[in-house]
Amino acid sequence: LSPYRLITFENNLCSTGDWETQILDSGGSNEDGALDHHDGAQVVDIDNDGDLDVVSIGWNNIRPRIFENTSVISNKPIADAGSDENITLPTSSIVLNGTASDPDGGSIVGYAWTQESGPSAATLSGEDTSSLT
């Protein structure tokens, strides 16, 4: 591997949490006459699509070079059912007020509450709204 390559480090938070090396440009070598390291590389959203691209000027290729980030970013909506609640008899019901947001800027169009566990089946009312009884 050329010591003159242009690399980034990406944190893979969704699986291992490790930093992964991404080679943007291999850089060449002195032996093959293709030495091209990238002093002054800058990270910027050059195409205004919300993700970061890299702009650089190579050592031998004295022209701006753009390394476009073409990955598709799609964040799933975030739902929060609120804090845990316990019911002590004779109380037989409780209201949970959930919240949701969409990191992509979209609107929340519906809710779908379900029972995950418990000693017996619960009767759910309002399972398609933000408030569940």
Side-chain angles (χ1 to χ4, degrees):
L1 291 175
S2 168
Y4 305 109
R5 60 192 173 168
L6 178 60
I7 60 176
T8 62
F9 297 96
E10 179 180 3
N11 190 331
N12 188 346
L13 292 173
C14 294
S15 68
T16 64
D18 293 334
W19 290 95
E20 296 177 355
T21 303
Q22 305 290 331
I23 299 173
L24 300 181
D25 187 67
S26 60
S29 68
N30 283 328
E31 291 79 30
D32 64 13
L35 172 65
D36 201 12
H37 60 85
H38 300 269
D39 292 339
Q42 298 289 313
V43 178
V44 63
D45 183 7
I46 194 84
D47 52 0
N48 202 27
D49 63 355
D51 59 24
L52 295 175
D53 309 300
V54 176
V55 177
S56 178
I57 296 177
W59 185 263
N60 285 337
N61 298 312
I62 306 175
R63 296 183 185 102
R65 297 179 71 185
I66 298 171
F67 299 90
E68 181 183 3
N69 181 353
T70 58
S71 61
V72 176
I73 299 172
S74 177
N75 297 309
K76 295 179 181 178
I78 300 167
D80 185 354
S83 57
D84 292 346
E85 300 286 345
N86 292 309
I87 296 177
T88 305
L89 292 174
T91 301
S92 61
S93 69
I94 193 164
V95 176
L96 298 174
N97 292 304
T99 59
S101 63
D102 184 355
D104 291 328
S107 61
I108 302 300
V109 296
Y111 293 81
W113 293 85
T114 59
Q115 180 179 350
E116 293 291 316
S117 64
S120 60
T123 301
L124 304 179
S125 176
E127 64 269 16
D128 59 350
T129 70
S130 63
S131 255
L132 176 75
T133 302

